Amino acid sequence: MAEALLDIAGLTVGYGDGIVLSELSLTLQKGKSVAVLGRNGVGKSTLMLAIAGHLKPRSGRISLDGRAIDSVPAFMRTRNGIGWVPQGREVFAPLTVDENLSIAATRGAWSMQRVYDLFPRLRERRRNYANQLSGGEQQMLAIGRALVTNPSVLLLDEPLEGLAPVVAQDVARCIAQIVDKEGVSTILVEQHAGFALELAHDALIIERGVVVRRGPSAELARDQEALEKYVGIRKRRPNEDRGPALS
C-alpha cells in the first residue's frame, strides 16, 4: 500500500485536565475520503481542531505526506496543505464574498473562478458582505475559502449543520462533486451519517474518545447494530425521510 497522505497515530487530546480523544489512529490515502461518526460530544470536532493545528495533542503523531506536523502552527499547516472548514463556518463577516476568497487564495488548480463555477450562488453574491448571506451561502463560502488554499487534505466539520433540507441537498451535491469528481482527499465529520457513509470511502466511529469501529463505509452502513448503538441511528421505516441525498 502507498504511504498515507495523512497519518495519525496514537493521538491523545484534551482540554485542561480532561482527555477527549485517547490513542486515536487514522490514515487517509490520496484521493480518498474518511467519515468520522459518533454522537455529540465524543471528540469528532476535537479531532479536526487537532489536525488543523488549533489544539495541541498530549501525545501521538500527525504526519502529512510523510512529514511530521505536530509542532507546526495552524497557519503553516494551511500553507502545507490542510484546508479546514470549521463547524459554524466562521466566515469573515465584514468582508465581501470576493474578499473572503481572495485573502485565502493561493496558486493552484482551485481558483476563485473555479469556486464560483462550483457555487454559482456565490458568484451572484460576490459583492455582498458575508454577513448578508444566508446560512447555506455562508457554508458554500467557507468551503470555497478552504478550496482556494489548494489543500491536499480538506477537513469538513459538520458542513450540513443548521441548513434547511433543500439547501443541505445543494451543499451535499457540491461536496460529492469535490470528493468524487475532483478527487479531493477529505475527512468529513457529519451528523447525517447516511450522507457521510454514502459519500466517503472509509469510516470510523468514535465513542467516549476511542475508535470503536472502522472499515469501508459500505460495510459500516450495513452494520445496523453499531449505528444504533454508537451513532443513534435506528432502522428507518419505508418512505421515511433519509436526510440529504447526493442525487
Side-chain angles (χ1 to χ4, degrees):
M1 180 180 293
E3 184 177 40
L5 175 60
L6 182 71
D7 186 22
I8 301 172
L11 186 69
T12 298
V13 188
Y15 303 91
D17 295 329
I19 298 297
V20 178
L21 293 175
S22 180
E23 296 292 322
L24 183 142
S25 296
L26 179 156
T27 58
L28 177 68
Q29 301 295 329
K30 185 176 181 179
K32 300 297 183 180
S33 54
V34 175
V36 180
L37 305 177
R39 298 178 188 272
N40 289 333
V42 299
K44 304 186 300 297
S45 291
T46 296
L47 170 62
M48 303 294 254
L49 288 167
I51 298 172
H54 296 279
L55 190 60
K56 185 177 181 179
R58 307 285 179 85
S59 61
R61 184 189 74 249
I62 303 175
S63 298
L64 178 66
D65 203 16
R67 302 186 303 273
I69 60 171
D70 308 276
S71 59
V72 175
F75 77 94
M76 284 300 298
R77 294 193 197 192
T78 300
R79 294 181 184 179
N80 290 341
I82 299 292
W84 182 44
V85 180
Q87 186 178 23
R89 299 147 199 163
E90 298 185 14
V91 294
F92 301 120
L95 302 184
T96 66
V97 170
D98 263 351
E99 291 168 339
N100 266 270
L101 296 177
S102 63
I103 63 172
T106 62
R107 290 185 178 182
W110 282 100
S111 63
M112 289 173 59
Q113 182 60 48
R114 192 173 178 192
V115 167
Y116 286 140
D117 290 341
L118 179 66
F119 297 116
R121 291 167 66 178
L122 290 184
R123 178 184 286 113
E124 297 170 3
R125 307 294 302 276
R126 62 189 302 171
R127 306 301 182 194
N128 289 92
Y129 294 105
N131 60 5
Q132 296 174 322
L133 305 182
S134 68
E137 290 166 344
Q138 288 186 2
Q139 189 61 274
M140 294 173 190
L141 179 56
I143 295 171
R145 185 181 59 189
L147 288 174
V148 295
T149 68
N150 283 281
S152 53
V153 175
L154 180 64
L155 308 177
L156 294 171
D157 193 355
E158 301 283 5
L160 306 184
E161 182 182 41
L163 302 183
V166 173
V167 178
Q169 289 178 359
D170 287 342
V171 174
R173 281 192 290 268
C174 290
I175 292 173
Q177 181 173 336
I178 293 167
V179 173
D180 292 336
K181 296 182 180 179
E182 306 295 345
V184 177
S185 305
T186 304
I187 297 179
L188 170 67
V189 166
E190 181 53 59
Q191 285 297 318
H192 294 281
F195 161 69
L197 290 170
E198 184 179 351
L199 177 74
H201 298 93
D202 298 293
L204 58 84
I205 300 175
I206 299 176
E207 171 69 11
R208 296 183 180 180
V210 298
V211 176
V212 294
R213 187 81 162 80
R214 72 171 78 229
S217 292
E219 180 181 309
L220 263 66
R222 294 190 295 268
D223 192 342
Q224 190 62 42
E225 181 178 352
L227 292 176
E228 287 185 9
K229 181 177 181 180
Y230 298 118
V231 188
I233 298 178
R234 60 180 175 79
K235 188 174 182 179
R236 292 178 173 86
R237 301 186 184 93
N239 301 321
E240 188 174 355
D241 179 29
R242 300 184 63 86
L246 300 183
S247 59

